[in-house]
Amino acid sequence: MSDRRANGEYARRLSEIDPFRVVEVLARATELSRAGHDVVHLAAGEPDFSTAQPIVEAGRAALAAGRTQYSEAAGIPQLREAISRYYHTDYGLDVPSERIMVTPGASGALLLLAALLLDPGDGMLMSDPGYPCNRNFMRLVEGHGELVPVGPESRFQLTAELVDRHWSGTTRGVLVASPANPTGTALEAQELAALSAAVKARHGYLLVDEIYHGLGYDAATPSVLSVDPDAFVINSFSKYFGMTGWRLGWLVAPETAIPELEKLAQNLFISMSTMGQYAALAAFEPATRDILDERREVFRQRRDFLYPALLDLGFEVPCKPDGALYIYANASRHTDDSRAFCLSLLEDHQVAVTPGLDFGRHRPNEHLRFSYTTGMERLELAVERLAKVLR
C-alpha cells in the first residue's frame, strides 16, 4: 500500500479544484427555509420557471413511446438537425448538423473540449472573474486555466490586446463567455472578430460559451460563428430554454474535430438522456418560443429593477448587464470579506447571495453576485432588507 493510500489521500488534482462556495450558501439557505425562515434566494444561477409545458408534454410522449434506450453518442439526428435550423432562423447562419453534438449539459461540452484540446501542462486563457468550473475542467485533464484579471475597462471581458499580452508558451487557446457569468456582459461582433484574429495568429483555439444566448435584454447577442466558423461553441438547454434538470447541452465544432469528440463522448457518457432529447425537440416549436420569449421579458424587468436598486444601496456596478441572470456588484463600501458578508446577510437578514470568491482571484473579496431568479415581490423584499442593513 502506498503512503498516500495509507494516509487516506486521493488524487493530488483535487487539492487544486476549489469547491463551489455558492453551494455552501444554498445549503444553509435551504436549512433556514426548512426551519421556517423566509429566505430570499438570490444565489442560484437557475431560472425559477418550471420547464415550459410543451417540452414537458414532449418528454411524456417520448416515455410513453418507449424512447428509453441509448441514443447515438453525438445525439439523436432529429435534435442535431433542429439545432442547425435554430442557427439559421435565429442567426442567419448555415451550421450543418454534422458539426453539432448534443452533450449532457454545457458541462459535458466543456469536458469534451478540455479533453480534446489540452495535453498535460497546457493552458487556456480565461477571464477572472469567470465561471469557476471552466478552470476546473482544464485541471481535470492535467491542464490549467490561465486566469487574466479583467475589470470595468474591458467590461470584464478578454480582449485581443489582453490575449496578446498574456499568451504564454503553454497557452493552447482562449475561452470566453458571452453573455458572461457572473457579470452579464456580452461581446459584440467586432470584439469576437478581434479575439478570433488574435487567437488564429497564435495558431490557437477559440472557445465561446454562449449558454446565455436568448437571454439578451437590449439587443440580440451575436454568435462567434458569424465571424469565425471554426470556433468551438458551447450552448445549453438550461438557461433560455429552461431545462436545467434535464441536463442537455450542445457544442459546435469544426467538422474535423467531430470524430474525435464522438470517440470521447462514447467513452465518457455513452449517450445523453434519450427521452430528454426528444423533449428538447419541442423547445424550438413557435408556441414554446413564445413562452420562452415572455420569460425573457420578465427577466429583463427584474434586471431593470434590481440594477438601479443596488446602485442606490451603495454598490458599484460599473457595467450594466447585457444579459444572463446576474449582477456582479462591487461591495467594497460595505465589506472587504465577501464570504463573511454573504453569510451574515443570510443568517441575520435571510437574503442569500453569492460571494465573489466563487468566480476567481481578482478582487473577489470585494464582490457579490446577485441572481435575479426570483419574482419581483421577492426582489423588492430583498432590497428592503438590504436597505435596513446598509443605510
Side-chain angles (χ1 to χ4, degrees):
M1 182 182 294
S2 69
D3 290 341
R4 288 173 59 206
R5 176 78 178 273
N7 294 331
E9 298 177 13
Y10 299 109
R12 293 187 182 94
R13 70 174 67 89
L14 293 176
S15 65
E16 299 176 29
I17 295 177
D18 295 324
F20 228 163
R21 291 177 179 85
V22 69
V23 174
E24 176 186 21
V25 175
L26 292 172
R28 182 56 182 153
T30 300
E31 289 178 1
L32 290 170
S33 294
R34 287 175 177 167
H37 296 277
D38 182 23
V39 177
V40 182
H41 296 271
L42 306 181
E46 180 175 27
D48 53 322
F49 296 105
S50 297
T51 300
Q53 198 60 30
I55 300 173
V56 174
E57 292 301 329
R60 287 177 176 153
L63 286 169
R67 299 191 185 279
T68 57
Q69 288 80 28
Y70 293 134
S71 77
E72 298 89 331
I76 61 173
Q78 301 96 309
L79 185 54
R80 298 170 76 188
E81 291 162 4
I83 295 169
S84 175
R85 290 192 297 272
Y86 167 71
Y87 278 105
H88 180 73
T89 58
D90 282 51
Y91 299 92
L93 298 174
D94 180 17
V95 182
S97 62
E98 293 79 10
R99 291 184 53 203
I100 298 167
M101 284 191 61
V102 184
T103 58
S107 297
L110 284 159
L111 179 58
L112 288 175
L113 291 178
L116 176 78
L117 301 177
L118 299 186
D119 283 321
D122 288 343
M124 189 73 63
L125 289 177
M126 54 189 69
S127 63
D128 181 357
Y131 181 59
C133 295
N134 291 341
R135 62 182 184 270
N136 293 334
F137 283 121
M138 307 304 160
R139 181 64 189 88
L140 192 65
V141 298
E142 301 301 324
H144 58 281
E146 297 176 339
L147 302 185
V148 179
V150 292
E153 65 282 353
S154 67
R155 305 193 75 250
F156 295 96
Q157 292 281 3
L158 289 180
T159 64
E161 189 274 329
L162 287 170
V163 168
D164 288 337
R165 191 193 312 168
H166 291 274
W167 196 282
S168 72
T170 61
T171 305
R172 292 278 283 167
V174 172
L175 170 59
V176 295
S178 176
N181 177 8
T183 63
T185 61
L187 290 161
E188 297 181 357
Q190 62 267 31
E191 294 171 315
L192 291 165
L195 281 168
S196 172
V199 172
K200 285 184 175 179
R202 303 277 189 167
H203 305 289
Y205 300 102
L206 177 60
L207 289 62
V208 183
D209 174 345
E210 298 186 351
I211 73 170
Y212 292 100
H213 272 224
L215 292 176
Y217 303 119
D218 302 314
T221 309
S223 173
V224 67
L225 296 172
S226 66
V227 298
D228 183 357
D230 296 323
F232 291 89
V233 171
I234 302 106
N235 211 319
S236 175
F237 286 97
S238 289
K239 307 302 183 180
Y240 168 71
F241 294 101
M243 297 178 65
T244 49
W246 300 75
R247 305 313 303 133
L248 283 176
W250 76 82
L251 66 85
V252 181
E255 207 161 331
T256 55
I258 292 296
E260 300 299 329
L261 288 165
E262 193 164 2
K263 176 176 67 178
L264 287 167
Q266 289 165 351
N267 283 276
L268 292 173
F269 312 128
I270 301 178
S271 75
M272 288 61 62
S273 163
T274 302
M275 62 289 281
Q277 292 182 72
Y278 280 98
L281 289 172
F284 300 105
E285 295 296 328
T288 310
R289 295 296 301 277
D290 287 344
I291 295 169
L292 302 179
D293 288 346
E294 289 173 3
R295 293 177 175 183
R296 176 178 59 216
E297 177 60 18
V298 172
F299 286 126
R300 185 193 66 77
Q301 292 171 359
R302 294 175 183 178
R303 179 204 64 170
D304 290 347
F305 165 77
L306 188 58
Y307 170 69
L310 292 176
L311 295 178
D312 188 52
L313 290 170
F315 294 99
E316 296 178 20
V317 188
C319 301
K320 183 178 181 180
D322 301 304
L325 302 167
Y326 317 109
I327 296 174
Y328 196 60
N330 186 315
S332 57
R333 293 181 184 173
H334 306 301
T335 185
D336 59 2
D337 186 339
S338 63
R339 179 180 177 273
F341 189 70
C342 285
L343 293 176
S344 174
L345 287 179
L346 179 58
E347 295 291 343
D348 300 333
H349 308 284
Q350 285 74 62
V351 177
V353 299
T354 307
L357 290 169
D358 252 353
F359 304 105
R361 299 162 190 160
H362 181 52
R363 302 173 64 183
N365 280 314
E366 299 176 13
H367 288 85
L368 310 175
R369 190 192 73 176
F370 293 82
S371 301
Y372 40 92
T373 50
T374 191
M376 191 66 77
E377 289 185 2
R378 304 295 291 169
L379 290 176
E380 291 171 351
L381 178 59
V383 169
E384 179 183 321
R385 290 178 179 178
L386 288 170
K388 292 179 180 177
V389 181
L390 303 177
R391 284 178 178 162

